[in-house]
Amino acid sequence: MAKKPDLLLERACPAPVCGVDEAGRGPLAGPVSAGAVIFDPGKRLPKGLNDSKKLNHRQREELEFEIKLRAVAFGVGFASVEEIAELNILHAAGLAMCRAIEALSVKPVYALVDGNYRFKLPCDVKTVVGGDGISASIAAASILAKVARDRVMVALDAEHPGYGFASHKGYSAKSHFEALRTLGPSPVHRVSWGAVREVCGLPPLVPELPFERTNVSAR
């Protein structure tokens, strides 16, 4: 049987420690989201907790309820399409993570973050490659981020019909590219991205020189 995420990493860290993960770095449209979760290492975890990518939609929604019920604290944050264009997707994901941590009702002193990039967050950070399959709090954060972003994309489907956001959630589906060719980009498409500009027949953006961007980390 495959090993499920546990709280061994959390128990080895200063408390309170939160797990942090993002969702939506890859899509062509919509915001990027992040979740942050603090569990009590001495209490039982939600049954079936796992990396969000290994769960189906129904399982994620059921676990979202259990996570919020059992967590000491939880938070979700977003960075908008405009912020993605201004900061780039990596730094926008970091901004969403900061907002998720700031939404926690308990202030953490340590964060376990999925991946190998050390984001500048409101507390000390430990990166964990493949963390959503190792750390229970990271796995829970990945579920909250994914479910929250999916709901946003369903709402955007009603506001911007024809693109199929409710089904593909803004990712690079064939039907999504066909809609972009027919309709052009919507206000929630990442028009700063080369793939979106190419399919819509827009000219490529001229890269900015480093000195043309200042104070982007001060947000």
Side-chain angles (χ1 to χ4, degrees), residues 116-202:
N116 61 6
Y117 188 84
R118 191 178 179 85
F119 291 96
K120 187 175 180 180
L121 300 179
C123 57
D124 288 337
V125 172
K126 177 180 176 62
T127 58
V128 185
V129 176
D132 43 11
I134 299 170
S135 159
S137 59
I138 294 178
S142 76
I143 291 168
L144 296 194
K146 171 65 174 170
V147 172
R149 187 182 183 279
D150 282 358
R151 289 195 183 115
V152 168
M153 296 310 297
V154 170
L156 290 177
D157 184 74
E159 294 178 22
H160 306 283
Y163 295 98
F165 292 147
S167 59
H168 54 62
K169 307 301 187 293
Y171 282 87
S172 302
K174 181 180 178 181
S175 61
H176 192 182
F177 282 114
E178 290 172 350
L180 274 170
R181 291 188 188 96
T182 303
L183 302 173
S186 75
V188 296
H189 276 95
R190 300 177 184 178
V191 292
S192 59
W193 285 32
V196 175
R197 300 187 73 80
E198 182 179 359
V199 74
C200 294
L202 299 172

Side-chain angles (χ1 to χ4, degrees), residues 9 12 21 36 58 63 82 90 120 122 167 181 188 198 204 214:
L9 284 178
D21 201 4
R58 180 186 58 80
L63 277 163
E82 293 77 15
L90 181 66
K120 187 175 180 180
S167 59
R181 291 188 188 96
V188 296
E198 182 179 359
T214 59

Side-chain angles (χ1 to χ4, degrees), residues 8-20 36-39 101 104 106-113 118-119 121-128 135 137-138:
L8 291 178
L9 284 178
E10 287 82 347
R11 293 185 183 115
C13 294
V17 56
C18 67
V20 182
V37 176
I38 299 174
F39 280 128
I101 292 174
L104 293 168
V106 175
K107 185 177 181 180
V109 298
Y110 212 79
L112 299 170
V113 180
R118 191 178 179 85
F119 291 96
L121 300 179
C123 57
D124 288 337
V125 172
K126 177 180 176 62
T127 58
V128 185
S135 159
S137 59
I138 294 178

Side-chain angles (χ1 to χ4, degrees), residues 4-7 37-40 43-51 55 59-72 136-137 139-141 143-144:
K4 294 288 183 68
D6 56 38
L7 291 168
V37 176
I38 299 174
F39 280 128
D40 182 340
K43 292 189 176 180
R44 186 164 58 91
L45 291 170
K47 186 177 180 181
L49 182 65
N50 209 340
D51 172 4
L55 303 169
Q59 290 170 324
R60 286 192 294 266
E61 291 215 323
E62 290 176 353
L63 277 163
E64 180 200 35
F65 176 80
E66 289 296 323
I67 290 164
K68 291 181 176 181
L69 184 66
R70 296 178 185 274
V72 172
S137 59
I143 291 168
L144 296 194

